[in-house]
């Protein structure tokens, strides 16, 4: 495991794990030292997952979802804004998630099965499913059936993403059924930072994660209305955000995005990210108070932003604009209650003649305000009849879904940036329109003005990490980041 998650473990007094001692790859043996326990391995895995989803993936997701753009007079992330990522961009994410997170979770599962602890197995399976789902969603087909085999297979083949999704859902169902048949509490306690070992919350997480995965399939032949309808009827989704919310204020204890991008000495940090007009003007033109929660004002107190990729047109620096309002202790979320409600709203639109969709949509907006620490009364005012965010009933399916997805996009800023990018890729909402035709108040995206891609193309996938391509003969580098993940089938 790499330094950031190792440090997170130390500060939370989880102890240093042998698996954290070196940089490993997807082919490394799972953790086997006698001193490790499933509790410590779970803490390690959660820190590893959070470090990546809240760090490097939050960064690229923030640019691709058009929450941020590269500031003038700086250029660290020009390549992201240009859609010109190098093939080595994903090296660290891949190594951390496979060698740190997935290996630790496999240890949790294997040891807990030997102990007969169905609660620990369930939590391990759920987090493993979440992690593999993230890997598929950003890298496409990845090692799965042959992964984590150690020296027994140093060249694991990739498994098609649709097959991975199917097996992950089966794994979740089996783990849930085994727990329900023999409900042994996990007793993880505080070493499960997300839900403190509370099995009721983890069972709700299981249903919410499955719903999320089923909705990813909605434009594919694997769409499963019956399974979705059964989940909706069960109505047992998360009621508490699934997140990591115990960051400290000292160096190397802090939110990973803040630690990397915002915390350095004056002149060295907080110089690259400024607000993109795409989201900023959506908030501003709709009088949405989330603007002040997502962004900090400029040094003059203004909420200023620029068009995506237009930094070269200005000579001033980041302090002249709004910047991400992420602090040392801002939580990193895996799934929020707002996201759960939006998933349910979309499902009801697609598979239940829209019945109940408005109520879930309204709850999604209200829950988003709560996540940002804003009064839900402000959300209620914006979703009221005739207001900017009123849910219009009776629209055609895709237009009804659009209402949900625009609000979901607006609710994920600084919350789960990579999820926002993934969902905009899946649904194509907010739409990408030619520059000059955009209506930011309605929720429109544009192609970055520095894009190397043609027309209104945006990246659909990340390159395989070059480290893995070089050492694994069964992985061939893709030719373009406009190739598609398996579920990306909407015209």
């Amino acid at each position: 495991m790499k330094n950031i998650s190792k440090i997170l473990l130390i500060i939370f007094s989880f102890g240093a794990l042998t698996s954290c001692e070196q940089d490993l790859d997807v082919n490394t043996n799972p953790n086997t030292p006698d001193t490790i326990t499933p509790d410590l391995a779970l803490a390690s895995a959660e820190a590893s997952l959070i470090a990546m989803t809240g760090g490097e993936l939050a960064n690229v997701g923030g640019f691709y979802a058009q929450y941020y753009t590269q500031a003038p007079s700086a250029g660290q992330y020009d390549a992201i804004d240009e859609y010109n990522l190098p093939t080595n961009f994903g090296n660290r994410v891949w190594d951390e998630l496979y060698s740190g997170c997935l290996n630790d979770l496999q240890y949790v599962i294997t040891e807990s099965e030997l102990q007969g602890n169905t609660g620990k197995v369930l939590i391990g399976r759920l987090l493993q499913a979440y992690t593999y789902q993230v890997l598929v969603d950003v890298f496409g087909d990845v090692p799965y059936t042959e992964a984590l085999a150690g020296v027994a297979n140093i060249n694991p083949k990739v498994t098609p993403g649709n097959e991975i999704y199917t097996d992950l859902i089966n794994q979740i169902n089996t783990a849930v059924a085994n727990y329900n048949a023999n409900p042994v509490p996990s007793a993880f306690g505080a070493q499960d930072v997300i839900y403190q070992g509370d099995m009721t919350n983890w069972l709700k997480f299981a249903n919410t994660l499955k719903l999320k995965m089923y909705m990813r399939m909605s434009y594919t032949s694997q769409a499963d209305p019956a399974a979705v309808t059964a989940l909706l009827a069960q109505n047992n989704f998360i009621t508490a955000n699934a997140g990591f919310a115990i960051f400290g204020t000292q160096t190397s204890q802090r939110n990973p995005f803040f630690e990397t991008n915002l915390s350095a000495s004056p002149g060295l940090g907080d110089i690259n990210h400024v607000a993109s007009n795409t989201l900023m003007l959506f908030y501003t033109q709709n009088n949405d108070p989330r603007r002040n929660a997502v962004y900090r004002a400029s040094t003059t107190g203004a909420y200023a932003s620029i068009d995506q990729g237009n930094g070269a047109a200005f000579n001033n620096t980041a302090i002249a604009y709004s910047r991400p309002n992420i602090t040392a202790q801002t939580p990193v979320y895996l799934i929020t209650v707002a996201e759960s409600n939006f998933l349910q709203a979309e499902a009801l639109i697609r598979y239940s003649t829209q019945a109940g969709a408005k109520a879930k949509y309204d709850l999604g907006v209200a829950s988003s305000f709560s996540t940002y620490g804003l009064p839900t009364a402000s959300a209620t005012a914006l979703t009221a009849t005739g207001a900017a965010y009123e849910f219009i009933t009776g629209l055609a399916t895709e237009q009804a879904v659009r209402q949900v997805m625009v609000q979901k996009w607006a609710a994920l800023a600084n919350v789960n940036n990579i999820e926002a990018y993934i969902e905009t890729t899946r649904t194509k909402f907010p739409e990408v329109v030619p520059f000059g035709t955009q209506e930011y108040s309605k929720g429109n995206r544009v192609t970055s003005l520095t894009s190397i891609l043609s027309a209104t193309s945006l990246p659909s996938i990340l390159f395989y990490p070059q480290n893995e391509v070089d050492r694994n003969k069964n992985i061939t580098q893709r030719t373009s980041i406009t190739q598609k993940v398996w579920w990306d089938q909407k015209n």
Side-chain angles (χ1 to χ4, degrees):
M1 190 185 301
K2 304 209 177 198
N3 287 339
I4 188 166
S5 48
K6 185 193 300 184
I7 292 167
L8 286 174
L9 288 174
I10 292 171
I11 65 166
F12 301 135
S13 301
F14 293 145
L17 307 182
T18 302
S19 64
C20 302
E21 294 299 321
Q22 55 188 328
D23 293 345
L24 305 175
D25 62 42
V26 63
N27 306 305
T28 304
N29 279 325
N31 296 302
T32 56
D34 292 337
T35 55
I36 197 173
T37 67
D39 302 59
L40 293 174
L42 182 82
S44 168
E46 290 184 351
S48 196
L49 177 58
I50 290 301
M52 293 300 100
T53 57
E56 294 186 37
L57 290 177
N59 189 40
V60 70
F63 279 93
Y64 283 179
Q66 300 190 7
Y67 298 153
Y68 325 135
T69 188
Q70 177 63 57
S73 304
Q76 183 173 349
Y77 298 120
D78 279 339
I80 299 179
D81 237 0
E82 294 167 358
Y83 311 141
N84 192 25
L85 285 182
T87 56
N88 65 1
F89 175 81
N91 285 351
R92 184 162 178 264
V93 172
W94 183 280
D95 286 352
E96 185 70 54
L97 291 183
Y98 271 108
S99 304
C101 182
L102 289 172
N103 267 334
D104 286 333
L105 290 171
Q106 191 58 48
Y107 180 84
V108 171
I109 293 165
T110 301
E111 290 299 305
S112 299
E113 286 177 338
L114 292 174
Q115 297 169 7
N117 191 308
T118 55
K120 289 183 177 180
V121 172
L122 175 57
I123 293 172
R125 287 290 183 201
L126 291 174
L127 288 171
Q128 199 172 65
Y130 186 97
T131 304
Y132 270 121
Q133 166 246 302
V134 170
L135 285 164
V136 170
D137 292 348
V138 298
F139 291 114
D141 303 341
V142 297
Y144 178 69
T145 58
E146 296 186 2
L148 311 181
V151 295
N153 186 353
I154 62 173
N155 292 291
K157 295 178 182 178
V158 300
T159 302
N162 63 314
E163 295 180 17
I164 296 174
Y165 259 60
T166 298
D167 192 64
L168 291 176
I169 290 173
N170 289 338
Q171 294 284 350
I172 293 171
N173 287 339
T174 298
V176 168
N178 288 343
Y179 175 78
N180 286 334
N182 179 28
V184 180
S186 75
F188 276 134
Q191 287 178 305
D192 167 21
V193 178
I194 296 170
Y195 280 136
Q196 296 73 52
D198 185 308
M199 298 311 301
T200 298
N201 280 328
W202 279 112
L203 287 167
K204 292 178 179 181
F205 183 93
N207 284 345
T208 310
L209 179 58
K210 286 200 300 180
L211 181 60
K212 176 181 174 180
M213 295 175 72
Y214 280 126
M215 298 319 297
R216 287 277 204 274
M217 303 175 184
S218 58
Y219 294 105
T220 78
S221 61
Q222 287 184 217
D224 193 339
V228 173
T229 301
L231 281 173
L232 293 173
Q234 189 176 347
N235 193 29
N236 189 35
F237 302 105
I238 63 170
T239 52
N241 293 335
F244 193 101
I246 59 171
F247 295 109
T249 59
Q250 301 302 309
T251 301
S252 299
Q253 299 180 5
R254 303 176 286 200
N255 173 289
F257 185 96
F258 179 89
E259 188 72 41
T260 301
N261 295 297
L262 306 179
S263 68
S265 302
L268 297 176
D270 203 11
I271 63 173
N272 284 291
H273 301 79
V274 299
S276 171
N277 277 343
T278 305
L279 181 63
M280 170 68 86
L281 295 185
F282 174 82
Y283 285 150
T284 299
Q285 293 174 9
N286 288 303
N287 295 315
D288 189 330
R290 288 179 293 185
R291 180 195 70 177
N292 295 24
V294 171
Y295 299 112
R296 290 169 289 143
S298 71
T299 51
T300 62
Y303 282 86
S305 53
I306 59 178
D307 287 310
Q308 194 73 30
N310 202 30
F314 302 90
N315 294 321
N316 42 15
T317 61
I319 61 173
Y321 302 96
S322 295
R323 287 154 290 159
N325 188 19
I326 296 174
T327 71
Q329 295 184 284
T330 297
V332 172
Y333 297 101
L334 299 183
I335 305 178
T336 63
V337 174
E339 183 183 350
S340 173
N341 280 305
F342 289 133
L343 286 167
Q344 293 171 68
E346 181 187 359
L348 290 165
I349 290 168
R350 294 191 185 281
Y351 304 128
S352 188
T353 64
Q354 302 190 25
K358 180 185 185 311
K360 293 298 182 181
Y361 167 93
D362 289 349
L363 280 173
V365 178
S367 298
S368 169
F369 276 58
S370 293
T371 298
Y372 288 122
L374 299 169
T376 57
S378 299
T380 302
L382 280 166
T383 56
T385 302
Y389 298 156
E390 177 192 4
F391 182 86
I392 306 300
T393 58
L395 297 179
T397 297
E398 283 302 299
Q399 286 306 300
V401 167
R402 184 191 190 280
Q403 297 178 94
V404 174
M405 298 314 301
V406 169
Q407 281 303 317
K408 189 174 189 178
W409 166 75
L412 287 170
N414 297 351
V415 171
N416 194 331
N417 294 350
I418 194 64
E419 180 68 17
Y421 159 60
I422 291 165
E423 285 290 75
T424 57
T425 300
R426 174 178 72 91
T427 66
K428 315 307 175 192
F429 296 131
E431 302 91 338
V432 181
V433 300
F435 187 80
T437 68
Q438 70 271 21
E439 295 182 70
Y440 287 130
S441 64
K442 294 183 178 180
N444 281 164
R445 292 175 293 152
V446 296
T447 301
S448 172
L449 294 176
T450 56
S451 172
I452 66 167
L453 303 178
S454 60
T456 54
S457 296
L458 266 63
S460 303
I461 203 166
L462 298 183
F463 284 117
Y464 284 120
Q466 195 59 44
N467 280 354
E468 189 66 17
V469 174
D470 291 342
R471 65 196 172 201
N472 184 345
K473 67 180 183 180
N474 285 319
I475 293 185
T476 301
Q477 187 60 271
R478 58 179 47 93
T479 59
S480 171
I481 57 174
T482 60
Q483 293 178 353
K484 294 184 176 183
V485 178
W486 77 275
W487 42 252
D488 185 5
Q489 298 185 31
K490 181 180 178 181
N491 293 328

Coordinates of all heavy atoms in Angstrom, one line a residue, residues 56-81:
E56 N -6.8 10.9 -6.4 CA -6.5 11.0 -7.8 C -7.8 10.8 -8.6 O -7.9 11.5 -9.6 CB -5.5 10.0 -8.2 CG -4.1 10.3 -7.5 CD -3.0 9.4 -8.0 OE1 -3.0 9.0 -9.2 OE2 -2.1 9.0 -7.2
L57 N -8.7 9.9 -8.3 CA -9.9 9.8 -9.1 C -10.8 11.0 -8.9 O -11.5 11.4 -9.8 CB -10.6 8.5 -8.7 CG -9.9 7.2 -9.2 CD1 -10.6 6.0 -8.7 CD2 -9.7 7.2 -10.7
A58 N -10.8 11.6 -7.7 CA -11.6 12.8 -7.4 C -11.1 13.9 -8.3 O -11.8 14.8 -8.8 CB -11.6 13.2 -6.0
N59 N -9.8 14.0 -8.5 CA -9.2 15.0 -9.3 C -9.6 14.9 -10.7 O -10.1 15.9 -11.3 CB -7.6 15.0 -9.1 CG -7.0 16.2 -9.8 OD1 -7.4 17.3 -9.6 ND2 -5.9 16.0 -10.4
V60 N -9.3 13.8 -11.4 CA -9.7 13.6 -12.8 C -11.2 13.7 -13.0 O -11.7 14.3 -13.9 CB -9.1 12.3 -13.4 CG1 -9.8 11.1 -12.8 CG2 -9.1 12.4 -14.9
G61 N -12.0 13.1 -12.0 CA -13.4 13.2 -12.1 C -13.9 14.7 -12.0 O -14.9 15.0 -12.7
G62 N -13.3 15.5 -11.2 CA -13.7 16.9 -11.1 C -13.5 17.7 -12.3 O -14.3 18.5 -12.7
F63 N -12.4 17.4 -13.1 CA -12.2 18.0 -14.4 C -13.1 17.5 -15.4 O -13.7 18.3 -16.2 CB -10.7 17.8 -14.8 CG -9.7 18.7 -14.2 CD1 -9.0 18.4 -13.1 CD2 -9.5 20.0 -14.8 CE1 -8.1 19.2 -12.5 CE2 -8.6 20.8 -14.2 CZ -7.9 20.5 -13.0
Y64 N -13.3 16.2 -15.5 CA -14.1 15.6 -16.5 C -15.6 15.8 -16.3 O -16.4 15.9 -17.3 CB -13.9 14.1 -16.6 CG -12.6 13.7 -17.3 CD1 -12.2 12.4 -17.5 CD2 -11.7 14.7 -17.9 CE1 -11.0 12.0 -18.1 CE2 -10.6 14.3 -18.5 CZ -10.2 13.0 -18.6 OH -9.1 12.7 -19.3
A65 N -16.1 16.0 -15.1 CA -17.5 16.3 -14.8 C -17.7 17.8 -14.9 O -18.8 18.3 -14.9 CB -17.9 15.9 -13.4
Q66 N -16.6 18.6 -15.1 CA -16.6 20.0 -15.3 C -17.0 20.8 -14.1 O -17.8 21.7 -14.2 CB -17.4 20.4 -16.6 CG -16.8 19.8 -17.8 CD -17.4 20.3 -19.1 OE1 -18.2 21.2 -19.2 NE2 -17.0 19.6 -20.2
Y67 N -16.5 20.3 -12.9 CA -16.6 21.1 -11.7 C -15.5 22.0 -11.6 O -15.6 23.2 -11.1 CB -16.6 20.1 -10.5 CG -17.7 19.1 -10.4 CD1 -17.5 17.9 -9.7 CD2 -18.9 19.3 -11.0 CE1 -18.5 17.0 -9.6 CE2 -20.0 18.4 -10.8 CZ -19.7 17.2 -10.2 OH -20.7 16.3 -10.0
Y68 N -14.3 21.6 -12.1 CA -13.1 22.4 -12.0 C -12.5 22.5 -13.4 O -12.7 21.7 -14.3 CB -12.0 21.8 -11.1 CG -12.5 21.1 -9.9 CD1 -11.9 19.9 -9.5 CD2 -13.4 21.7 -9.1 CE1 -12.3 19.2 -8.4 CE2 -13.8 21.0 -7.9 CZ -13.3 19.8 -7.6 OH -13.7 19.1 -6.5
T69 N -11.7 23.5 -13.6 CA -10.8 23.6 -14.8 C -9.5 24.2 -14.4 O -9.3 24.7 -13.3 CB -11.5 24.5 -15.9 OG1 -10.7 24.4 -17.1 CG2 -11.6 26.0 -15.4
Q70 N -8.5 24.0 -15.3 CA -7.1 24.5 -15.0 C -7.1 26.0 -14.8 O -7.5 26.7 -15.7 CB -6.1 24.0 -16.0 CG -4.7 24.4 -15.8 CD -4.1 23.9 -14.5 OE1 -4.0 22.7 -14.3 NE2 -3.6 24.8 -13.7
A71 N -6.5 26.4 -13.7 CA -6.3 27.9 -13.4 C -5.4 28.5 -14.4 O -4.4 27.9 -14.9 CB -5.9 28.1 -12.0
P72 N -5.6 29.8 -14.7 CA -4.6 30.5 -15.5 C -3.3 30.6 -14.7 O -3.3 30.5 -13.5 CB -5.2 31.9 -15.6 CG -6.7 31.7 -15.4 CD -6.8 30.6 -14.4
S73 N -2.2 30.8 -15.4 CA -0.9 31.0 -14.8 C -0.4 29.8 -14.0 O 0.4 29.9 -13.1 CB -0.9 32.3 -13.9 OG -1.3 33.4 -14.7
A74 N -1.0 28.7 -14.3 CA -0.5 27.4 -13.7 C -0.8 26.3 -14.8 O -1.6 26.6 -15.7 CB -1.2 27.1 -12.4
G75 N -0.3 25.1 -14.6 CA -0.5 24.2 -15.6 C -0.3 22.7 -15.2 O -0.1 21.9 -16.1
Q76 N -0.4 22.4 -13.9 CA -0.1 21.1 -13.5 C -1.1 20.1 -14.1 O -0.7 18.9 -14.4 CB -0.2 21.0 -12.0 CG 0.1 19.6 -11.5 CD 0.2 19.5 -9.9 OE1 0.3 20.6 -9.3 NE2 0.3 18.3 -9.4
Y77 N -2.3 20.5 -14.4 CA -3.3 19.6 -14.9 C -3.8 19.9 -16.3 O -5.0 19.6 -16.7 CB -4.5 19.5 -13.9 CG -4.1 19.0 -12.5 CD1 -4.2 19.7 -11.4 CD2 -3.5 17.7 -12.4 CE1 -3.8 19.3 -10.1 CE2 -3.1 17.2 -11.2 CZ -3.2 18.0 -10.0 OH -2.8 17.5 -8.8
D78 N -3.0 20.6 -17.0 CA -3.3 20.9 -18.4 C -3.7 19.6 -19.2 O -4.6 19.6 -20.0 CB -2.2 21.6 -19.1 CG -2.1 23.1 -18.8 OD1 -3.1 23.6 -18.4 OD2 -1.0 23.7 -19.0
A79 N -3.0 18.5 -19.0 CA -3.2 17.3 -19.7 C -4.6 16.8 -19.5 O -5.2 16.2 -20.4 CB -2.1 16.3 -19.4
I80 N -5.1 16.9 -18.2 CA -6.4 16.4 -17.9 C -7.5 17.3 -18.7 O -8.4 16.8 -19.3 CB -6.7 16.4 -16.4 CG1 -5.7 15.5 -15.7 CG2 -8.2 16.0 -16.1 CD1 -5.9 15.5 -14.2
D81 N -7.3 18.6 -18.6 CA -8.2 19.5 -19.2 C -8.2 19.4 -20.8 O -9.2 19.7 -21.4 CB -7.9 21.0 -18.9 CG -9.1 21.7 -18.2 OD1 -10.1 21.1 -18.1 OD2 -8.9 22.9 -17.9

